[in-house]
Amino acid sequence: MSSTVVSLIQALASGLLVGGVYGLFSIGFSLAFGVMRIVNFAHGELVMLGMYAAYSVYLLTGADPLLAIPIVGIFLTVVGAGLYLVVYERFVGKATLQQLLVAIAISMVIQIILQMIYGPETRGVQSVLGSQYLIYGPFFFSYGQIAAFIVAVICVGVLELLLQKTRWGKLIRAVADDPEAAEIVGANSRAINTVAFAVSCCLAGIAGCVLIIYYPVNPGTGMALMPIALIATVIGGLGSIKGAFLGGIICAIVQQLTSTFWSPALQDVPLYVLLLVFLAFFPFGLLGRKTAH
Amino acid sequence: MAQDEVLRVEGVSKVFGGLKALSNVSMSVKRGEVVGLIGPNGAGKSTLFEVISGNMRATAGRIVLFGDDVSTVSPDRRRRAGMSRTFQKVRLFESLTTQENIAIAAMQCARSNDDWRGEVQSVMERLKLTRLAQSYPAELTLADRKKIEIGRAIVGRCRLLLLDEALSGLTMDEADELVGVVLSLNTELGVTIVVVEHVLPVLVSMAQRLVVLNFGEVIADGAPREVASNEKVMTAYLGSKRGAFS
């Protein structure tokens, strides 16, 4: 096998593994937009909050971030419900300039609070999985990334199952389609939106737990993650959960290919080109519905 | 409130900025009635539906539903109390199938012992929607979409149904079929119905009573023949004193 082919396969496989996690935090972002038309620019900071929360659990108990998923998930769920009820509720259905500015303000508040608590230094954990590699012929994969990918696939599968098969999921889809008509059939939009936003934040928390296994965190991490969630959501189709996951995988594969065959420093450049191309020519993305608002 | 009264609108006004869409509107609907709500374009019919269903809050006045003042109650609680509606422009849940569209309302309004699955099935049979159970709204004709919206409205112990221009856009045959369905809901299930409709001859044949709105005010309320010969109604509709619905 030539070295180019090996590099190509390695880049594709690594992209797939990293993309699972991108997909995981992108579906949270997409859920908030799809159901409530909230463009939550603080979503990257919520992922970062999840990373810091997992880091804190690790510091206090020595537990691996994967074991911190339940507690961090619950913590971010509560934070999400609170954020929704206190701030975002008044902007439901209106992706207005005020809503965007409020989200940016929230992201800054989260950044500042975390910087005050943890300082500006980059922090990471010594995960058992993060430091070990699966080696197969010329290919190598971090166990941390494999575990993160598995968690991401499970979360997306469970969410998709909930949305498609359960009463709660059908209610969320109904509210996403038409909140006023949903109330007319007896659905309490406020409660459903609160749950949906809390779930979106819970997914951010879980993404934070798996990300910190192999990706150290500092107060600027959220800002670095946010564009990926945005681009993945646009590529996949605004409001589409499966689309956001697919978009996350595409983003990561594009990054890995660019990094391998061009330059690691330029790995994000094609993503922004993709963003522009999709917004200009395919505004509904790969799996978005044309009825999406 | 009289025992057989299901809806009472008391002095309801609705103001949008400087525009008075409803002005001191009062009307009542008795159990088992089919009441037509008519008026020229912009008369305030749809606004009144919005206020009754809770999608809009009245600027003044009260809405009394099944004996309870629901003026400040949310639409979902009004629905669970037994009041339902359709929209002027059909608004289905596009990501749900026909069956899911109807089932979601049945589930939300069901009490613990209710067989909501059975009810969904029987409503789909009544509306001849069974063959379309797994179809999505975007794949269906307007007539079928309207039937789904009616099905979604009547499941889950619906006692009062507000129909907003259910016949508009339908062919004569489709309209006839839907009128039959609507009347059967009234005669067989005892659902009280308030209808906004522009096809006046059809409405006259359906409704036992007509309430006429013009510029946000009730200008007539009575039996169809009585209302048709009302001077104010004729002027509002035709600007003259010819028979309004002839």
Side-chain angles (χ1 to χ4, degrees), chain A residues 164 167 170-171 173-174 177-178 180-188 289, chain B residues 55 75-76 79-80 85 91 93-96 100 104-105 107-108 152:
Chain A
Q164 297 301 328
R167 172 179 177 168
K170 283 171 187 162
L171 280 172
R173 283 156 61 204
D177 281 346
D178 189 334
E180 212 172 74
E183 294 207 331
I184 289 299
V185 302
N188 181 340
R289 282 192 297 128
Chain B
N55 288 124
D76 59 301
R79 174 64 172 93
R80 287 196 291 271
R85 68 168 291 188
R91 288 166 68 172
F93 304 124
E94 300 291 330
S95 65
L96 303 183
E100 287 171 336
I104 201 150
M107 284 190 285
Q108 282 308 104
R152 189 178 74 180

PDB file of all heavy atoms in Angstrom, chain A residues 164 167 170-171 173-174 177-178 180-188 289, chain B residues 55 75-76 79-80 85 91 93-96 100 104-105 107-108 152:
ATOM      1  N   GLN A 164     -38.360   9.817  17.124  1.00  0.00           N
ATOM      2  CA  GLN A 164     -39.213   9.134  16.152  1.00  0.00           C
ATOM      3  C   GLN A 164     -40.277   8.249  16.801  1.00  0.00           C
ATOM      4  O   GLN A 164     -41.371   8.118  16.284  1.00  0.00           O
ATOM      5  CB  GLN A 164     -38.371   8.265  15.205  1.00  0.00           C
ATOM      6  CG  GLN A 164     -37.375   9.049  14.345  1.00  0.00           C
ATOM      7  CD  GLN A 164     -38.049  10.098  13.466  1.00  0.00           C
ATOM      8  OE1 GLN A 164     -39.169   9.926  13.012  1.00  0.00           O
ATOM      9  NE2 GLN A 164     -37.354  11.205  13.244  1.00  0.00           N
ATOM     10  N   ARG A 167     -43.757   9.422  22.530  1.00  0.00           N
ATOM     11  CA  ARG A 167     -44.737  10.499  22.581  1.00  0.00           C
ATOM     12  C   ARG A 167     -44.026  11.855  22.723  1.00  0.00           C
ATOM     13  O   ARG A 167     -44.360  12.821  22.057  1.00  0.00           O
ATOM     14  CB  ARG A 167     -45.641  10.240  23.785  1.00  0.00           C
ATOM     15  CG  ARG A 167     -46.592  11.350  24.107  1.00  0.00           C
ATOM     16  CD  ARG A 167     -47.417  10.917  25.289  1.00  0.00           C
ATOM     17  NE  ARG A 167     -48.312  11.948  25.710  1.00  0.00           N
ATOM     18  CZ  ARG A 167     -49.295  11.745  26.571  1.00  0.00           C
ATOM     19  NH1 ARG A 167     -49.496  10.552  27.074  1.00  0.00           N
ATOM     20  NH2 ARG A 167     -50.077  12.722  26.924  1.00  0.00           N
ATOM     21  N   LYS A 170     -42.547  12.889  19.468  1.00  0.00           N
ATOM     22  CA  LYS A 170     -43.548  13.369  18.507  1.00  0.00           C
ATOM     23  C   LYS A 170     -44.009  14.770  18.894  1.00  0.00           C
ATOM     24  O   LYS A 170     -44.266  15.614  18.027  1.00  0.00           O
ATOM     25  CB  LYS A 170     -44.722  12.392  18.449  1.00  0.00           C
ATOM     26  CG  LYS A 170     -44.347  11.155  17.632  1.00  0.00           C
ATOM     27  CD  LYS A 170     -45.368  10.065  17.721  1.00  0.00           C
ATOM     28  CE  LYS A 170     -44.815   8.829  17.015  1.00  0.00           C
ATOM     29  NZ  LYS A 170     -45.492   7.613  17.376  1.00  0.00           N
ATOM     30  N   LEU A 171     -44.118  15.006  20.198  1.00  0.00           N
ATOM     31  CA  LEU A 171     -44.515  16.342  20.645  1.00  0.00           C
ATOM     32  C   LEU A 171     -43.457  17.370  20.250  1.00  0.00           C
ATOM     33  O   LEU A 171     -43.784  18.475  19.820  1.00  0.00           O
ATOM     34  CB  LEU A 171     -44.703  16.355  22.167  1.00  0.00           C
ATOM     35  CG  LEU A 171     -46.030  15.795  22.662  1.00  0.00           C
ATOM     36  CD1 LEU A 171     -46.016  15.677  24.171  1.00  0.00           C
ATOM     37  CD2 LEU A 171     -47.172  16.699  22.226  1.00  0.00           C
ATOM     38  N   ARG A 173     -41.427  17.182  17.764  1.00  0.00           N
ATOM     39  CA  ARG A 173     -41.501  17.398  16.315  1.00  0.00           C
ATOM     40  C   ARG A 173     -42.715  18.257  15.966  1.00  0.00           C
ATOM     41  O   ARG A 173     -42.646  19.115  15.077  1.00  0.00           O
ATOM     42  CB  ARG A 173     -41.561  16.053  15.589  1.00  0.00           C
ATOM     43  CG  ARG A 173     -40.181  15.376  15.539  1.00  0.00           C
ATOM     44  CD  ARG A 173     -40.295  13.879  15.382  1.00  0.00           C
ATOM     45  NE  ARG A 173     -40.962  13.475  14.174  1.00  0.00           N
ATOM     46  CZ  ARG A 173     -41.575  12.309  14.001  1.00  0.00           C
ATOM     47  NH1 ARG A 173     -41.612  11.432  14.990  1.00  0.00           N
ATOM     48  NH2 ARG A 173     -42.142  12.008  12.881  1.00  0.00           N
ATOM     49  N   ALA A 174     -43.810  18.029  16.679  1.00  0.00           N
ATOM     50  CA  ALA A 174     -45.014  18.834  16.418  1.00  0.00           C
ATOM     51  C   ALA A 174     -44.752  20.300  16.755  1.00  0.00           C
ATOM     52  O   ALA A 174     -45.098  21.199  15.983  1.00  0.00           O
ATOM     53  CB  ALA A 174     -46.191  18.302  17.239  1.00  0.00           C
ATOM     54  N   ASP A 177     -42.624  21.861  14.182  1.00  0.00           N
ATOM     55  CA  ASP A 177     -43.361  22.149  12.941  1.00  0.00           C
ATOM     56  C   ASP A 177     -44.233  23.391  13.080  1.00  0.00           C
ATOM     57  O   ASP A 177     -44.267  24.235  12.205  1.00  0.00           O
ATOM     58  CB  ASP A 177     -44.269  20.965  12.571  1.00  0.00           C
ATOM     59  CG  ASP A 177     -43.492  19.834  11.921  1.00  0.00           C
ATOM     60  OD1 ASP A 177     -42.344  20.067  11.517  1.00  0.00           O
ATOM     61  OD2 ASP A 177     -44.029  18.721  11.843  1.00  0.00           O
ATOM     62  N   ASP A 178     -44.969  23.468  14.180  1.00  0.00           N
ATOM     63  CA  ASP A 178     -45.918  24.577  14.343  1.00  0.00           C
ATOM     64  C   ASP A 178     -46.316  24.687  15.814  1.00  0.00           C
ATOM     65  O   ASP A 178     -47.245  24.012  16.272  1.00  0.00           O
ATOM     66  CB  ASP A 178     -47.159  24.304  13.476  1.00  0.00           C
ATOM     67  CG  ASP A 178     -48.086  25.503  13.409  1.00  0.00           C
ATOM     68  OD1 ASP A 178     -48.078  26.320  14.356  1.00  0.00           O
ATOM     69  OD2 ASP A 178     -48.824  25.625  12.419  1.00  0.00           O
ATOM     70  N   GLU A 180     -47.917  26.900  17.510  1.00  0.00           N
ATOM     71  CA  GLU A 180     -49.279  27.357  17.802  1.00  0.00           C
ATOM     72  C   GLU A 180     -50.274  26.215  17.599  1.00  0.00           C
ATOM     73  O   GLU A 180     -51.151  25.982  18.431  1.00  0.00           O
ATOM     74  CB  GLU A 180     -49.611  28.520  16.878  1.00  0.00           C
ATOM     75  CG  GLU A 180     -50.545  29.520  17.497  1.00  0.00           C
ATOM     76  CD  GLU A 180     -50.678  30.747  16.620  1.00  0.00           C
ATOM     77  OE1 GLU A 180     -51.340  30.662  15.581  1.00  0.00           O
ATOM     78  OE2 GLU A 180     -50.112  31.799  16.992  1.00  0.00           O
ATOM     79  N   ALA A 181     -50.093  25.490  16.499  1.00  0.00           N
ATOM     80  CA  ALA A 181     -50.983  24.354  16.246  1.00  0.00           C
ATOM     81  C   ALA A 181     -50.768  23.268  17.296  1.00  0.00           C
ATOM     82  O   ALA A 181     -51.709  22.563  17.675  1.00  0.00           O
ATOM     83  CB  ALA A 181     -50.740  23.793  14.846  1.00  0.00           C
ATOM     84  N   ALA A 182     -49.540  23.136  17.786  1.00  0.00           N
ATOM     85  CA  ALA A 182     -49.264  22.129  18.814  1.00  0.00           C
ATOM     86  C   ALA A 182     -50.041  22.449  20.091  1.00  0.00           C
ATOM     87  O   ALA A 182     -50.563  21.555  20.761  1.00  0.00           O
ATOM     88  CB  ALA A 182     -47.771  22.052  19.103  1.00  0.00           C
ATOM     89  N   GLU A 183     -50.133  23.731  20.425  1.00  0.00           N
ATOM     90  CA  GLU A 183     -50.903  24.101  21.616  1.00  0.00           C
ATOM     91  C   GLU A 183     -52.381  23.791  21.411  1.00  0.00           C
ATOM     92  O   GLU A 183     -53.075  23.397  22.338  1.00  0.00           O
ATOM     93  CB  GLU A 183     -50.708  25.584  21.916  1.00  0.00           C
ATOM     94  CG  GLU A 183     -49.280  25.892  22.324  1.00  0.00           C
ATOM     95  CD  GLU A 183     -49.171  27.103  23.202  1.00  0.00           C
ATOM     96  OE1 GLU A 183     -50.009  28.002  23.078  1.00  0.00           O
ATOM     97  OE2 GLU A 183     -48.228  27.133  24.023  1.00  0.00           O
ATOM     98  N   ILE A 184     -52.820  23.955  20.160  1.00  0.00           N
ATOM     99  CA  ILE A 184     -54.226  23.689  19.856  1.00  0.00           C
ATOM    100  C   ILE A 184     -54.550  22.195  19.982  1.00  0.00           C
ATOM    101  O   ILE A 184     -55.699  21.815  20.148  1.00  0.00           O
ATOM    102  CB  ILE A 184     -54.557  24.232  18.438  1.00  0.00           C
ATOM    103  CG1 ILE A 184     -54.576  25.754  18.470  1.00  0.00           C
ATOM    104  CG2 ILE A 184     -55.870  23.719  17.912  1.00  0.00           C
ATOM    105  CD1 ILE A 184     -55.591  26.373  19.399  1.00  0.00           C
ATOM    106  N   VAL A 185     -53.540  21.327  19.888  1.00  0.00           N
ATOM    107  CA  VAL A 185     -53.831  19.909  20.109  1.00  0.00           C
ATOM    108  C   VAL A 185     -53.525  19.505  21.558  1.00  0.00           C
ATOM    109  O   VAL A 185     -53.488  18.323  21.884  1.00  0.00           O
ATOM    110  CB  VAL A 185     -53.092  18.967  19.128  1.00  0.00           C
ATOM    111  CG1 VAL A 185     -53.439  19.304  17.700  1.00  0.00           C
ATOM    112  CG2 VAL A 185     -51.592  18.983  19.337  1.00  0.00           C
ATOM    113  N   GLY A 186     -53.318  20.485  22.394  1.00  0.00           N
ATOM    114  CA  GLY A 186     -53.169  20.183  23.821  1.00  0.00           C
ATOM    115  C   GLY A 186     -51.738  20.067  24.311  1.00  0.00           C
ATOM    116  O   GLY A 186     -51.499  19.623  25.429  1.00  0.00           O
ATOM    117  N   ALA A 187     -50.768  20.443  23.461  1.00  0.00           N
ATOM    118  CA  ALA A 187     -49.370  20.336  23.896  1.00  0.00           C
ATOM    119  C   ALA A 187     -48.947  21.623  24.618  1.00  0.00           C
ATOM    120  O   ALA A 187     -49.284  22.713  24.170  1.00  0.00           O
ATOM    121  CB  ALA A 187     -48.474  20.117  22.686  1.00  0.00           C
ATOM    122  N   ASN A 188     -48.211  21.439  25.695  1.00  0.00           N
ATOM    123  CA  ASN A 188     -47.717  22.597  26.445  1.00  0.00           C
ATOM    124  C   ASN A 188     -46.349  22.973  25.860  1.00  0.00           C
ATOM    125  O   ASN A 188     -45.328  22.405  26.207  1.00  0.00           O
ATOM    126  CB  ASN A 188     -47.601  22.221  27.925  1.00  0.00           C
ATOM    127  CG  ASN A 188     -47.119  23.380  28.762  1.00  0.00           C
ATOM    128  OD1 ASN A 188     -46.528  24.330  28.265  1.00  0.00           O
ATOM    129  ND2 ASN A 188     -47.379  23.301  30.056  1.00  0.00           N
ATOM    130  N   ARG A 289     -35.237  20.029   5.506  1.00  0.00           N
ATOM    131  CA  ARG A 289     -36.496  20.051   4.761  1.00  0.00           C
ATOM    132  C   ARG A 289     -36.706  21.439   4.190  1.00  0.00           C
ATOM    133  O   ARG A 289     -36.368  22.433   4.811  1.00  0.00           O
ATOM    134  CB  ARG A 289     -37.670  19.703   5.686  1.00  0.00           C
ATOM    135  CG  ARG A 289     -37.775  18.226   5.963  1.00  0.00           C
ATOM    136  CD  ARG A 289     -39.091  17.914   6.619  1.00  0.00           C
ATOM    137  NE  ARG A 289     -39.203  18.556   7.915  1.00  0.00           N
ATOM    138  CZ  ARG A 289     -40.228  19.296   8.267  1.00  0.00           C
ATOM    139  NH1 ARG A 289     -41.219  19.520   7.468  1.00  0.00           N
ATOM    140  NH2 ARG A 289     -40.273  19.834   9.466  1.00  0.00           N
TER     141      ARG A 289
ATOM    142  N   ASN B  55     -55.178  31.674  21.344  1.00  0.00           N
ATOM    143  CA  ASN B  55     -53.956  32.070  20.649  1.00  0.00           C
ATOM    144  C   ASN B  55     -53.700  33.570  20.772  1.00  0.00           C
ATOM    145  O   ASN B  55     -52.579  34.021  20.630  1.00  0.00           O
ATOM    146  CB  ASN B  55     -54.004  31.675  19.165  1.00  0.00           C
ATOM    147  CG  ASN B  55     -53.867  30.180  18.990  1.00  0.00           C
ATOM    148  OD1 ASN B  55     -54.706  29.535  18.393  1.00  0.00           O
ATOM    149  ND2 ASN B  55     -52.810  29.617  19.554  1.00  0.00           N
ATOM    150  N   PRO B  75     -53.934  28.011  25.439  1.00  0.00           N
ATOM    151  CA  PRO B  75     -54.670  27.233  24.421  1.00  0.00           C
ATOM    152  C   PRO B  75     -54.670  25.733  24.710  1.00  0.00           C
ATOM    153  O   PRO B  75     -55.672  25.051  24.484  1.00  0.00           O
ATOM    154  CB  PRO B  75     -53.898  27.517  23.129  1.00  0.00           C
ATOM    155  CG  PRO B  75     -53.159  28.764  23.374  1.00  0.00           C
ATOM    156  CD  PRO B  75     -52.883  28.841  24.833  1.00  0.00           C
ATOM    157  N   ASP B  76     -53.531  25.204  25.203  1.00  0.00           N
ATOM    158  CA  ASP B  76     -53.483  23.754  25.422  1.00  0.00           C
ATOM    159  C   ASP B  76     -54.442  23.325  26.516  1.00  0.00           C
ATOM    160  O   ASP B  76     -55.056  22.263  26.431  1.00  0.00           O
ATOM    161  CB  ASP B  76     -52.043  23.279  25.728  1.00  0.00           C
ATOM    162  CG  ASP B  76     -51.449  23.939  26.948  1.00  0.00           C
ATOM    163  OD1 ASP B  76     -51.354  25.181  26.958  1.00  0.00           O
ATOM    164  OD2 ASP B  76     -51.102  23.233  27.912  1.00  0.00           O
ATOM    165  N   ARG B  79     -57.876  23.338  25.110  1.00  0.00           N
ATOM    166  CA  ARG B  79     -58.060  22.135  24.277  1.00  0.00           C
ATOM    167  C   ARG B  79     -58.393  20.942  25.154  1.00  0.00           C
ATOM    168  O   ARG B  79     -59.283  20.157  24.837  1.00  0.00           O
ATOM    169  CB  ARG B  79     -56.778  21.890  23.472  1.00  0.00           C
ATOM    170  CG  ARG B  79     -56.779  20.583  22.664  1.00  0.00           C
ATOM    171  CD  ARG B  79     -57.860  20.606  21.596  1.00  0.00           C
ATOM    172  NE  ARG B  79     -57.795  19.468  20.689  1.00  0.00           N
ATOM    173  CZ  ARG B  79     -58.466  18.338  20.840  1.00  0.00           C
ATOM    174  NH1 ARG B  79     -59.238  18.176  21.902  1.00  0.00           N
ATOM    175  NH2 ARG B  79     -58.367  17.377  19.947  1.00  0.00           N
ATOM    176  N   ARG B  80     -57.643  20.808  26.240  1.00  0.00           N
ATOM    177  CA  ARG B  80     -57.891  19.647  27.104  1.00  0.00           C
ATOM    178  C   ARG B  80     -59.238  19.740  27.810  1.00  0.00           C
ATOM    179  O   ARG B  80     -59.786  18.736  28.246  1.00  0.00           O
ATOM    180  CB  ARG B  80     -56.736  19.469  28.097  1.00  0.00           C
ATOM    181  CG  ARG B  80     -55.468  18.940  27.406  1.00  0.00           C
ATOM    182  CD  ARG B  80     -54.470  18.389  28.404  1.00  0.00           C
ATOM    183  NE  ARG B  80     -53.883  19.431  29.216  1.00  0.00           N
ATOM    184  CZ  ARG B  80     -52.784  20.118  28.888  1.00  0.00           C
ATOM    185  NH1 ARG B  80     -52.163  19.864  27.755  1.00  0.00           N
ATOM    186  NH2 ARG B  80     -52.313  21.053  29.683  1.00  0.00           N
ATOM    187  N   ARG B  85     -60.080  23.485  17.412  1.00  0.00           N
ATOM    188  CA  ARG B  85     -60.298  24.327  16.240  1.00  0.00           C
ATOM    189  C   ARG B  85     -59.482  23.858  15.040  1.00  0.00           C
ATOM    190  O   ARG B  85     -58.539  23.081  15.177  1.00  0.00           O
ATOM    191  CB  ARG B  85     -59.913  25.774  16.548  1.00  0.00           C
ATOM    192  CG  ARG B  85     -58.421  25.952  16.761  1.00  0.00           C
ATOM    193  CD  ARG B  85     -58.024  27.404  16.777  1.00  0.00           C
ATOM    194  NE  ARG B  85     -58.168  28.011  15.450  1.00  0.00           N
ATOM    195  CZ  ARG B  85     -57.734  29.234  15.147  1.00  0.00           C
ATOM    196  NH1 ARG B  85     -57.169  29.980  16.083  1.00  0.00           N
ATOM    197  NH2 ARG B  85     -57.874  29.713  13.940  1.00  0.00           N
ATOM    198  N   ARG B  91     -52.999  23.805   8.950  1.00  0.00           N
ATOM    199  CA  ARG B  91     -51.692  23.762   9.633  1.00  0.00           C
ATOM    200  C   ARG B  91     -51.507  22.398  10.268  1.00  0.00           C
ATOM    201  O   ARG B  91     -51.884  22.184  11.411  1.00  0.00           O
ATOM    202  CB  ARG B  91     -51.636  24.878  10.684  1.00  0.00           C
ATOM    203  CG  ARG B  91     -51.513  26.244  10.048  1.00  0.00           C
ATOM    204  CD  ARG B  91     -51.775  27.367  10.996  1.00  0.00           C
ATOM    205  NE  ARG B  91     -50.772  27.496  12.024  1.00  0.00           N
ATOM    206  CZ  ARG B  91     -50.735  28.525  12.883  1.00  0.00           C
ATOM    207  NH1 ARG B  91     -51.635  29.483  12.804  1.00  0.00           N
ATOM    208  NH2 ARG B  91     -49.813  28.586  13.797  1.00  0.00           N
ATOM    209  N   PHE B  93     -48.854  19.019  11.170  1.00  0.00           N
ATOM    210  CA  PHE B  93     -47.459  18.785  11.535  1.00  0.00           C
ATOM    211  C   PHE B  93     -46.827  18.015  10.380  1.00  0.00           C
ATOM    212  O   PHE B  93     -47.086  16.825  10.200  1.00  0.00           O
ATOM    213  CB  PHE B  93     -47.376  18.010  12.847  1.00  0.00           C
ATOM    214  CG  PHE B  93     -48.117  18.698  13.964  1.00  0.00           C
ATOM    215  CD1 PHE B  93     -49.109  18.034  14.670  1.00  0.00           C
ATOM    216  CD2 PHE B  93     -47.849  20.011  14.292  1.00  0.00           C
ATOM    217  CE1 PHE B  93     -49.807  18.672  15.678  1.00  0.00           C
ATOM    218  CE2 PHE B  93     -48.542  20.658  15.297  1.00  0.00           C
ATOM    219  CZ  PHE B  93     -49.529  19.984  15.992  1.00  0.00           C
ATOM    220  N   GLU B  94     -46.029  18.722   9.613  1.00  0.00           N
ATOM    221  CA  GLU B  94     -45.536  18.158   8.352  1.00  0.00           C
ATOM    222  C   GLU B  94     -44.572  16.990   8.560  1.00  0.00           C
ATOM    223  O   GLU B  94     -44.393  16.167   7.671  1.00  0.00           O
ATOM    224  CB  GLU B  94     -44.862  19.248   7.511  1.00  0.00           C
ATOM    225  CG  GLU B  94     -45.779  20.410   7.142  1.00  0.00           C
ATOM    226  CD  GLU B  94     -46.867  20.040   6.154  1.00  0.00           C
ATOM    227  OE1 GLU B  94     -46.648  19.138   5.343  1.00  0.00           O
ATOM    228  OE2 GLU B  94     -47.962  20.660   6.208  1.00  0.00           O
ATOM    229  N   SER B  95     -43.935  16.920   9.725  1.00  0.00           N
ATOM    230  CA  SER B  95     -42.975  15.825   9.933  1.00  0.00           C
ATOM    231  C   SER B  95     -43.650  14.591  10.531  1.00  0.00           C
ATOM    232  O   SER B  95     -42.994  13.590  10.781  1.00  0.00           O
ATOM    233  CB  SER B  95     -41.831  16.281  10.829  1.00  0.00           C
ATOM    234  OG  SER B  95     -42.317  16.580  12.112  1.00  0.00           O
ATOM    235  N   LEU B  96     -44.955  14.670  10.773  1.00  0.00           N
ATOM    236  CA  LEU B  96     -45.690  13.521  11.314  1.00  0.00           C
ATOM    237  C   LEU B  96     -46.631  12.956  10.249  1.00  0.00           C
ATOM    238  O   LEU B  96     -47.126  13.688   9.399  1.00  0.00           O
ATOM    239  CB  LEU B  96     -46.509  13.939  12.533  1.00  0.00           C
ATOM    240  CG  LEU B  96     -45.758  14.586  13.711  1.00  0.00           C
ATOM    241  CD1 LEU B  96     -46.733  14.870  14.850  1.00  0.00           C
ATOM    242  CD2 LEU B  96     -44.633  13.701  14.210  1.00  0.00           C
ATOM    243  N   GLU B 100     -50.094   9.924  13.024  1.00  0.00           N
ATOM    244  CA  GLU B 100     -49.417  10.608  14.132  1.00  0.00           C
ATOM    245  C   GLU B 100     -50.025  11.980  14.393  1.00  0.00           C
ATOM    246  O   GLU B 100     -50.142  12.414  15.542  1.00  0.00           O
ATOM    247  CB  GLU B 100     -47.927  10.744  13.823  1.00  0.00           C
ATOM    248  CG  GLU B 100     -47.161   9.418  13.922  1.00  0.00           C
ATOM    249  CD  GLU B 100     -45.731   9.513  13.419  1.00  0.00           C
ATOM    250  OE1 GLU B 100     -45.434  10.404  12.592  1.00  0.00           O
ATOM    251  OE2 GLU B 100     -44.903   8.688  13.835  1.00  0.00           O
ATOM    252  N   ILE B 104     -51.426  12.424  18.131  1.00  0.00           N
ATOM    253  CA  ILE B 104     -50.769  13.310  19.091  1.00  0.00           C
ATOM    254  C   ILE B 104     -51.811  14.105  19.884  1.00  0.00           C
ATOM    255  O   ILE B 104     -51.669  14.335  21.086  1.00  0.00           O
ATOM    256  CB  ILE B 104     -49.742  14.224  18.376  1.00  0.00           C
ATOM    257  CG1 ILE B 104     -48.742  14.723  19.391  1.00  0.00           C
ATOM    258  CG2 ILE B 104     -50.359  15.373  17.651  1.00  0.00           C
ATOM    259  CD1 ILE B 104     -47.392  14.984  18.844  1.00  0.00           C
ATOM    260  N   ALA B 105     -52.880  14.492  19.189  1.00  0.00           N
ATOM    261  CA  ALA B 105     -53.948  15.213  19.890  1.00  0.00           C
ATOM    262  C   ALA B 105     -54.680  14.270  20.839  1.00  0.00           C
ATOM    263  O   ALA B 105     -55.014  14.639  21.973  1.00  0.00           O
ATOM    264  CB  ALA B 105     -54.919  15.805  18.874  1.00  0.00           C
ATOM    265  N   MET B 107     -53.513  11.605  22.314  1.00  0.00           N
ATOM    266  CA  MET B 107     -52.658  11.286  23.473  1.00  0.00           C
ATOM    267  C   MET B 107     -52.661  12.421  24.475  1.00  0.00           C
ATOM    268  O   MET B 107     -52.723  12.215  25.676  1.00  0.00           O
ATOM    269  CB  MET B 107     -51.207  11.078  22.994  1.00  0.00           C
ATOM    270  CG  MET B 107     -50.947   9.779  22.315  1.00  0.00           C
ATOM    271  SD  MET B 107     -49.183   9.512  22.058  1.00  0.00           S
ATOM    272  CE  MET B 107     -48.804  10.595  20.724  1.00  0.00           C
ATOM    273  N   GLN B 108     -52.581  13.649  23.945  1.00  0.00           N
ATOM    274  CA  GLN B 108     -52.472  14.803  24.840  1.00  0.00           C
ATOM    275  C   GLN B 108     -53.744  15.023  25.648  1.00  0.00           C
ATOM    276  O   GLN B 108     -53.701  15.542  26.755  1.00  0.00           O
ATOM    277  CB  GLN B 108     -52.164  16.076  24.027  1.00  0.00           C
ATOM    278  CG  GLN B 108     -50.734  16.199  23.611  1.00  0.00           C
ATOM    279  CD  GLN B 108     -49.772  16.041  24.772  1.00  0.00           C
ATOM    280  OE1 GLN B 108     -49.147  14.998  24.908  1.00  0.00           O
ATOM    281  NE2 GLN B 108     -49.670  17.038  25.626  1.00  0.00           N
ATOM    282  N   ARG B 152     -57.808  15.614  13.752  1.00  0.00           N
ATOM    283  CA  ARG B 152     -56.934  16.025  14.860  1.00  0.00           C
ATOM    284  C   ARG B 152     -57.712  16.870  15.870  1.00  0.00           C
ATOM    285  O   ARG B 152     -57.444  16.824  17.069  1.00  0.00           O
ATOM    286  CB  ARG B 152     -55.780  16.841  14.263  1.00  0.00           C
ATOM    287  CG  ARG B 152     -54.674  17.160  15.203  1.00  0.00           C
ATOM    288  CD  ARG B 152     -53.585  17.927  14.486  1.00  0.00           C
ATOM    289  NE  ARG B 152     -53.962  19.302  14.216  1.00  0.00           N
ATOM    290  CZ  ARG B 152     -53.189  20.192  13.605  1.00  0.00           C
ATOM    291  NH1 ARG B 152     -52.003  19.839  13.174  1.00  0.00           N
ATOM    292  NH2 ARG B 152     -53.594  21.428  13.408  1.00  0.00           N
TER     293      ARG B 152
END
